[in-house]
Amino acid sequence: MMIDKQKLLDILTSEIESSTGCTDPGSVCLAVAVAAHTLGRRPEKIDVLVSPNIYKNGVSVGIPGTNRIGLELAAALGALLDEPERGLAILADVTGDIVQQAAAIVSDGRVHVAYGQTPEPLYVRAIVSGGGEEAQAVIRGDYSCVTEILRNGAPVMQVEGRTHGAAVYPLVEYSVQELYETILSMEPESFRFLLEDARRNQEAVRRDLEDPELPLGRLLKQRISGQMTGPLAVSAEAQAYTAAAGEARMSGLNVTIMAIAGSGNHGITAIIPVVEMAEHLNAGKDATARALAFSHLLNVYIKLFTGKLSATCGCGVSAAAAASAAMVWLMGGSDDQIGAAIVNMSGNLTGMICDGGKIGCALKLATASSAALMCAYLAINSVALAPTDGICAATPEQAIRNMGRVSTPGMVETDRTILWIMMEKDQGSL
């Protein structure tokens, strides 16, 4: 059974979004911008409540065009950037003057950002006030999904939030094989837009490598030797370039990244290793576009089980597993070999923790891309971890479900501990 072709395209296009900077501070900025736009004037006070995972992923990450970090600054910028229609690209045109104004708002004590118990893991509520009036905006379920707008307590807009589950996305009803067979049955032109998305992420790589202040990508690139060939060359390039794109994004360089399943880092990990493999194989545009479609769709599929925000690093658990399977397909792998890549990844990086968004994520992206290549090459040679190994399974679908169980409920307490450590550091006790 194959998934409806139009439904597949709808899922892809709804899950892929242009993003400037990390999506967590971007989401806070967007929520405040929507509320401020509804208020109709510059707010005198800004109060933001975020879910613990939004706080974890946003507190230490660079904000584009500012050379600074902080969710308070992101919120203040939202009050000044009156372009909520730009979604997660709202931070693309931040200027020095706007940054100074936002910093002044923060230093005046007019911004308060807190985390607490929220209806779901991805949640932002911004309340702005001024001139005796108040407006509120809620983002829920997805980083740019505004579900509620209120002005002086009266609803302006209310919609159902996007929930990651079978009721919204029917992917869980299908096997991995059925997903990529549907992609193969479609005209390759359907996925050509993904080539442009890949080009944008590659542009972020170039920007990083040209920036003398950003060392990770450049130093990893220096390890690439002209004498490297085959898998070694692909692995070294994928590591360097995923690290470079991740470093550019997380340090706050003003670059556009194509995000998938709400994460720019997922987009980087799901795209760049696949493109490097395609170039190594001299694959044509059609094959590359199909491989990218499979990588993206499988990443969304896995995230249905692991959750959008959790204690496990989605780049290592879902995006890298998806990229590994897509690379096996590019190499001409069979159904069993594609499944083996996923099983291998389930026994490899499943336990990699997510300790928030920060520049160090670039190293995790490099590690994830390297593991994806390694598992793909093992799989194409019909080497797979045994179903009796740990959380591995006889089928890729069951392995994915096991990966999800490790994440939730398995690592819920781990997530709390990570957040406590980060809070202690933020308060200066470590």
Side-chain angles (χ1 to χ4, degrees):
M1 178 177 65
M2 292 192 294
I3 185 172
D4 179 81
K5 295 177 182 179
Q6 187 57 51
K7 190 171 291 184
L8 185 149
L9 275 177
D10 289 344
I11 291 172
L12 274 180
T13 54
S14 69
E15 288 288 343
I16 298 173
E17 184 174 6
S18 173
S19 170
T20 302
C22 181
T23 46
D24 298 271
S27 189
V28 168
C29 180
L30 177 60
V32 174
V34 171
H37 186 79
T38 304
L39 186 66
R41 58 173 293 160
R42 184 167 295 185
E44 298 167 7
K45 185 181 179 184
I46 303 168
D47 287 289
V48 182
L49 172 69
V50 299
S51 54
N53 282 96
I54 292 285
Y55 179 88
K56 183 181 75 171
N57 287 328
V59 70
S60 300
V61 72
I63 300 174
T66 70
N67 199 30
R68 306 185 191 202
I69 64 173
L71 290 176
E72 289 81 7
L73 182 64
L77 287 168
L80 302 173
L81 297 169
D82 189 22
E83 296 182 291
E85 69 278 1
R86 299 191 69 176
L88 293 178
I90 190 171
L91 290 165
D93 297 318
V94 172
T95 64
D97 180 57
I98 291 175
V99 173
Q100 289 182 351
Q101 292 180 56
I105 292 172
V106 174
S107 63
D108 287 345
R110 292 191 282 137
V111 182
H112 181 248
V113 178
Y115 78 87
Q117 292 301 313
T118 53
E120 55 186 271
L122 201 165
Y123 185 92
V124 181
R125 184 184 70 209
I127 302 175
V128 302
S129 57
E133 296 188 299
E134 179 184 282
Q136 178 178 160
V138 173
I139 288 176
R140 180 173 180 170
D142 202 1
Y143 287 98
S144 60
C145 184
V146 180
T147 62
E148 185 176 25
I149 303 174
L150 298 137
R151 180 180 171 85
N152 296 325
V156 174
M157 185 272 284
Q158 287 181 315
V159 297
E160 289 294 322
R162 182 181 296 174
T163 302
H164 242 46
V168 177
Y169 293 140
L171 295 184
V172 292
E173 301 172 6
Y174 297 87
S175 68
V176 171
Q177 180 181 344
E178 288 167 340
L179 295 182
Y180 70 75
E181 283 184 348
T182 303
I183 290 172
L184 288 176
S185 72
M186 298 171 66
E187 292 297 323
E189 287 78 11
S190 303
F191 309 116
R192 283 289 183 94
F193 70 97
L194 297 174
L195 298 177
E196 176 60 21
D197 292 350
R199 189 199 63 76
R200 291 190 182 186
N201 284 11
Q202 288 174 308
E203 175 63 16
V205 173
R206 184 190 66 79
R207 290 279 305 281
D208 177 89
L209 295 176
E210 291 177 353
D211 193 317
E213 301 298 320
L214 301 177
L216 295 180
R218 186 174 65 256
L219 289 173
L220 287 175
K221 187 175 185 296
Q222 289 175 6
R223 297 169 59 239
I224 302 173
S225 166
Q227 297 178 336
M228 288 180 174
T229 59
L232 187 60
V234 180
S235 180
E237 290 169 357
Q239 283 187 53
Y241 299 152
T242 51
E247 180 182 36
R249 176 176 184 262
M250 305 308 276
S251 64
L253 201 63
N254 198 339
V255 295
T256 297
I257 291 292
M258 298 312 296
I260 180 71
S263 168
N265 283 352
H266 281 60
I268 291 168
T269 309
I271 288 174
I272 290 179
V274 176
V275 170
E276 290 304 311
M277 175 62 76
E279 291 179 354
H280 170 69
L281 296 172
N282 293 316
K285 290 183 178 181
D286 290 351
T288 303
R290 279 197 169 111
L292 289 171
F294 181 36
S295 182
H296 282 324
L297 193 66
L298 184 55
N299 182 36
V300 173
Y301 179 86
I302 296 172
K303 294 295 285 184
L304 288 169
F305 298 96
T306 62
K308 275 201 171 182
L309 294 171
S310 69
T312 55
C313 173
C315 298
V317 175
S318 59
S324 186
M327 287 186 284
V328 171
W329 178 81
L330 272 173
M331 289 187 285
S334 66
D335 297 343
D336 288 343
Q337 289 167 332
I338 290 170
I342 297 170
V343 171
N344 287 344
M345 286 298 297
S346 75
N348 192 352
L349 292 187
T350 297
M352 180 187 281
I353 65 167
C354 170
D355 55 342
K358 70 283 180 199
I359 295 176
C361 287
L363 292 179
K364 291 187 177 182
L365 267 61
T367 298
S369 66
S370 176
L373 262 295
M374 177 176 63
C375 289
Y377 277 114
L378 289 171
I380 199 66
N381 287 285
S382 300
V383 176
L385 295 176
T388 53
D389 280 13
I391 67 164
C392 296
T395 67
E397 293 79 20
Q398 187 57 52
I400 289 168
R401 284 170 170 77
N402 292 347
M403 291 158 69
R405 290 172 63 191
V406 169
S407 177
T408 305
M411 295 181 71
V412 171
E413 189 59 36
T414 299
D415 208 29
R416 294 194 187 101
T417 302
I418 291 169
L419 187 58
W420 290 336
I421 292 170
M422 294 179 66
M423 281 295 296
E424 288 171 351
K425 291 168 64 177
D426 192 42
Q427 295 167 2
S429 62
L430 284 180

